[in-house]
Amino acid sequence: MRALIAGLLGCLLFTPATVFGDENPQLAGLDIDITRLSIEELLNVKITSVSKRPEQITHAPAAVYVLTSEDIRHSGVTSVPEVLRLVPGVHVARIDANKWAVSIRGFNGQTANKLLVLIDGRSIYDPLFSGVLWETKDVMLENIERIEVVRGPGGTLWGANAVNGVINIITKNARQTQGGLVAAGAGTEERFINWRYGYELAENHYIRVYGKGFEKDPGFVEGGADDRSSMGQAGFRYDGTLTNSDTLMIRGDFYDGSFGYPDEAARGEREGKGGNLLGLWARPLDNGGGMSAQMAYSHTELDDPVLGEVRDTYDFEFQHDLPRIGDHEIIWGVTYRRTHDDIRSSSLLGLTPDHRTDSVTGLFVQDDIALSRSVYLTVGSKFESNDYTGSEVQPNIRLAWRINSTDTFWAAVSRAVRTPSRLESDFVIQMPDGSTFAGGGNMDSEELVAYETGVRFNLTKELYMGVTAFYNEYDRLFTVEGSTLGNRAGGNTSGVEVAAVYVPAASWKISVGYSYLNMNLKLDRDSLDDPSTRIAGTEGQNPEHQAFVRLGTRLFKHYELDVAVRYVDELPALNVPSYTVADLRLARRINDNLELSIVGQNLFEDRHFEWGGNQVTQVEDSMHIKILYNF
């Protein structure tokens, strides 16, 4: 395979640009190259995940980081978790060849439950364990417009489980993806193909359809592993302008895949399939402000040797942006979620009852107040009612001093909660001695009070930086109390996150990220839990230091070179040493519509651990070639 890649690399380097068409370094069929943008243009990116309304990223009173479609293309990676490695403060660890642990500001694990992930505003966490099964939540990377990552609580607008952060994956409007695209690749570890086609149904009415599939080889473990995976997915998106400037977006996805365990002979294979449908209507108001309504339905089936799940979920949200009233900009809205599951138990683990219907009702309100021409105060709260803990209140207050058009100082105090999951509440395990270990039906919500401050500023016209510091106080954290579960732990975390972008010339971009995390957890005096497991184990599976440097440049008009070097500190609780690896991408733009690239990932080391435990394989270095063709 590497000999083949070497040959293709030679072709990539020496193929004339005119073989397939006229020379055009703009590559009109692809997105604009972000390495050609100035700092000013980069900072004009609009985001919506902080205030649920469009705002300039430099003005947002939160620790927010945006990955654009061009950041994703230049990374050369093939999955969303790999893209998230490029965000300061986000810990991404590959558990085996198909499973991931992703978290923000600590508490990582395969079922990390203090992070809310959305696709176009639709929550994709699984109420069974309040986490995200990343292996089944795939997105065609070429369809992503941007990924907004908010580090810190987002419960005021997004509700429970938005404790340590919010990741909102926003896909492109169908109008932006007219015509066809094929992205295909093969390498030492995986094969994949993505395609889409967009067309205009009528004036101001656009649609695209897409399909994707992949096969991934198993990871490395002595004696061999069986954690290979494969999945197929297809979907569509429609965007139209209706009467009175109303807009309507409808999108849907359908997937089916299989995901092996390293010791498949002992544990079997996990299979997952499902689909979702999302509709969003929006209307701007003549006197300013606007209204929107979103409805979503999702069906998921997970067939695991230990536990099976079939789930149907319905979501509704209405939002009203009021016209500006003096110095006040107010938004409010209501949310409703209803989810029904059927659980298949095994001899190892069961849930009682085996089917259940739960609902969550919420109301949110937030006011942005202009105290002066440069100082803005944001106050708001979300009020929710759920079937596990009853009523929850999640307020926040944020202050922003817009020093000038690019420099902002901000500070915030927020409260957020993580409600118990279905698994925590209702699981039952029969122990070998005949006793029962069961879920905590009287568990409370885990609680966070977060204190944050940050500054974004231009050092020069070529260099922009952002620095965030935080201190989090946790209470009522999950514990094991004898034969059941409880909430008898707490403590604090603190840290610093730094991000910088340097654009010294039109064809160069350098990004730097660093994060420091300190965790100090403790059990309550009356807790029966084991501190070596609950405290040292939790603290020791999150890196204290993380850092990356990314460089992107255009060479000789037709070539792009991207290099990313990542450092992740040790995970002492999992016996995972620190590691430094590099990703490299070299691309050749053949003509207006065709790009050929070669990508190396996890270089510097033949293989390394990113997670621990008995059922974990090592991550191997890999290479693949990719062809991107627009028509």
Side-chain angles (χ1 to χ4, degrees):
M1 176 61 75
R2 303 217 175 174
L4 174 61
I5 291 176
L8 289 170
L9 178 59
C11 294
L12 181 147
L13 291 174
F14 299 112
T15 300
T18 55
V19 167
F20 296 98
D22 295 334
E23 176 182 329
N24 186 346
Q26 294 288 342
L27 192 57
L30 298 177
D31 296 325
I32 297 173
D33 183 359
I34 202 166
T35 61
R36 291 177 170 267
L37 300 183
S38 66
I39 282 287
E40 289 78 11
E41 291 171 306
L42 291 172
L43 299 181
N44 283 331
V45 172
K46 300 287 186 179
I47 62 170
T48 58
S49 298
V50 175
S51 301
K52 278 202 172 181
R53 61 157 62 99
E55 62 181 329
Q56 191 171 318
I57 187 173
T58 56
H59 294 162
V64 60
Y65 196 93
V66 175
L67 294 168
T68 68
S69 60
E70 279 298 285
D71 287 320
I72 297 170
R73 186 173 71 86
H74 280 267
S75 72
V77 301
T78 59
S79 68
V80 171
E82 292 172 296
V83 173
L84 295 174
R85 296 183 192 273
L86 307 178
V87 181
V90 178
H91 178 211
V92 178
R94 195 163 188 166
I95 297 175
D96 60 31
N98 62 71
K99 301 175 188 66
W100 299 88
V102 180
S103 73
I104 295 176
R105 297 180 178 175
F107 299 95
N108 204 6
Q110 184 180 355
T111 57
N113 53 30
K114 296 176 179 58
L115 173 65
L116 185 65
V117 183
L118 311 120
I119 300 177
D120 289 327
R122 178 182 67 88
S123 173
I124 61 171
Y125 87 91
D126 191 327
L128 179 63
F129 55 88
S130 297
V132 175
L133 290 176
W134 289 97
E135 62 269 28
T136 65
K137 301 299 184 284
D138 200 11
V139 182
M140 180 172 166
L141 297 185
E142 291 79 11
N143 285 346
I144 296 176
E145 177 182 333
R146 65 186 185 275
I147 301 177
E148 300 178 1
V149 181
V150 182
R151 306 185 304 275
T156 295
L157 294 178
W158 298 106
N161 297 89
V163 177
N164 284 352
V166 177
I167 297 174
N168 194 4
I169 302 167
I170 299 169
T171 63
K172 296 176 181 178
N173 189 297
R175 184 172 184 172
Q176 300 173 263
T177 54
Q178 297 297 285
L181 177 146
V182 175
T188 59
E189 297 296 324
E190 64 179 307
R191 281 74 53 201
F192 62 89
I193 182 168
N194 304 335
W195 64 267
R196 75 171 183 229
Y197 189 79
Y199 53 96
E200 186 175 8
L201 294 172
E203 185 177 3
N204 296 324
H205 295 268
Y206 303 88
I207 193 170
R208 73 163 172 262
V209 293
Y210 82 92
K212 69 186 306 292
F214 68 79
E215 292 182 346
K216 295 184 180 180
D217 294 336
F220 176 84
V221 67
E222 295 292 343
D226 294 307
D227 54 343
R228 58 179 52 86
S229 60
S230 62
M231 190 167 84
Q233 183 168 312
F236 72 95
R237 171 165 172 161
Y238 158 83
D239 288 277
T241 301
L242 310 178
T243 58
N244 300 320
S245 299
D246 292 11
T247 59
L248 178 65
M249 184 270 281
I250 303 173
R251 56 157 298 176
D253 307 282
F254 316 91
Y255 67 90
D256 191 349
S258 61
F259 314 92
Y261 284 101
D263 57 342
E264 185 177 308
R267 300 188 63 180
E269 185 178 65
R270 170 185 290 190
E271 296 182 353
K273 61 182 178 180
N276 63 82
L277 189 64
L278 169 69
L280 172 64
W281 164 84
R283 168 180 290 181
L285 301 179
D286 294 337
N287 54 354
M291 296 187 299
S292 65
Q294 177 174 295
M295 297 186 67
Y297 165 74
S298 64
H299 174 81
T300 59
E301 298 182 22
L302 182 65
D303 187 10
D304 186 276
V306 176
L307 197 68
E309 176 191 22
V310 177
R311 181 175 298 276
D312 293 284
T313 302
Y314 305 84
D315 285 288
F316 172 79
E317 178 178 312
F318 171 80
Q319 179 177 319
H320 184 196
D321 296 21
L322 274 64
R324 188 180 183 93
I325 305 172
D327 295 326
H328 299 263
E329 290 186 273
I330 301 173
I331 66 170
W332 71 276
V334 294
T335 60
Y336 178 74
R337 161 173 280 217
R338 182 180 178 87
T339 181
H340 174 80
D341 65 40
D342 285 295
I343 303 298
R344 176 189 52 76
S345 301
S346 69
S347 59
L348 298 175
L349 176 64
L351 268 69
T352 302
D354 58 6
H355 62 276
R356 177 168 173 166
T357 300
D358 293 305
S359 61
V360 181
T361 305
L363 166 70
F364 65 88
V365 60
Q366 183 163 285
D367 186 6
D368 292 333
I369 309 167
L371 301 180
S372 70
R373 295 182 62 182
S374 60
V375 180
Y376 295 80
L377 178 68
T378 300
V379 293
S381 185
K382 184 157 191 177
F383 308 90
E384 280 189 331
S385 175
N386 67 81
D387 293 339
Y388 290 90
T389 62
S391 299
E392 301 288 357
V393 180
Q394 302 182 76
N396 93 127
I397 180 169
R398 297 178 179 271
L399 184 69
W401 174 26
R402 299 177 186 174
I403 303 169
N404 53 46
S405 61
T406 60
D407 299 359
T408 299
F409 170 83
W410 62 272
V413 180
S414 311
R415 180 182 187 270
V417 299
R418 201 277 296 181
T419 56
S421 68
R422 165 86 150 102
L423 186 62
E424 291 168 328
S425 177
D426 297 336
F427 81 88
V428 177
I429 299 176
Q430 294 294 329
M431 306 301 289
D433 61 3
S435 63
T436 300
F437 180 36
N442 296 319
M443 288 184 66
D444 292 324
S445 292
E446 297 182 318
E447 178 185 5
L448 165 67
V449 177
Y451 306 87
E452 304 172 272
T453 186
V455 61
R456 304 185 190 92
F457 54 95
N458 258 115
L459 286 178
T460 69
K461 65 179 182 179
E462 296 89 11
L463 177 60
Y464 194 78
M465 288 190 66
V467 181
T468 301
F470 65 90
Y471 178 81
N472 292 343
E473 292 184 345
Y474 295 90
D475 193 19
R476 302 200 302 263
L477 294 177
F478 159 92
T479 56
V480 176
E481 302 297 330
S483 61
T484 187
L485 303 181
N487 299 90
R488 297 182 181 177
N492 62 76
T493 65
S494 58
V496 176
E497 297 152 352
V498 180
V501 179
Y502 180 48
V503 184
S507 59
W508 286 81
K509 179 184 176 184
I510 301 172
S511 301
V512 178
Y514 168 77
S515 63
Y516 166 75
L517 173 67
N518 181 52
M519 303 184 71
N520 293 290
L521 306 179
K522 60 182 180 180
L523 294 174
D524 295 349
R525 290 183 178 180
D526 59 347
S527 175
L528 302 176
D529 208 342
D530 180 0
S532 64
T533 300
R534 191 64 48 213
I535 303 303
T538 301
E539 293 177 348
Q541 62 186 35
N542 299 276
E544 188 172 350
H545 301 275
Q546 291 190 100
F548 68 80
V549 178
R550 298 166 53 206
L551 179 149
T553 184
R554 181 183 293 279
L555 302 172
F556 312 116
K557 294 185 179 181
H558 313 300
Y559 299 93
E560 294 175 343
L561 175 66
D562 298 279
V563 180
V565 179
R566 298 180 283 111
Y567 169 79
V568 180
D569 208 355
E570 63 176 344
L571 307 180
L574 303 176
N575 295 316
V576 176
S578 63
Y579 56 90
T580 301
V581 293
D583 298 336
L584 184 146
R585 170 183 175 269
L586 179 62
R588 176 75 156 92
R589 292 188 166 186
I590 308 300
N591 67 2
D592 286 359
N593 301 311
L594 182 63
E595 175 185 280
L596 177 65
S597 60
I598 182 169
V599 178
Q601 293 181 263
N602 299 298
L603 306 179
F604 292 168
E605 299 184 13
D606 290 340
R607 62 184 70 94
H608 65 279
F609 282 109
E610 295 186 356
W611 203 247
N614 295 327
Q615 310 302 328
V616 178
T617 53
Q618 293 188 64
V619 179
E620 298 181 278
D621 62 351
S622 65
M623 302 180 74
H624 69 261
I625 58 103
K626 178 180 177 181
I627 296 174
L628 182 62
Y629 178 59
N630 285 264
F631 58 94

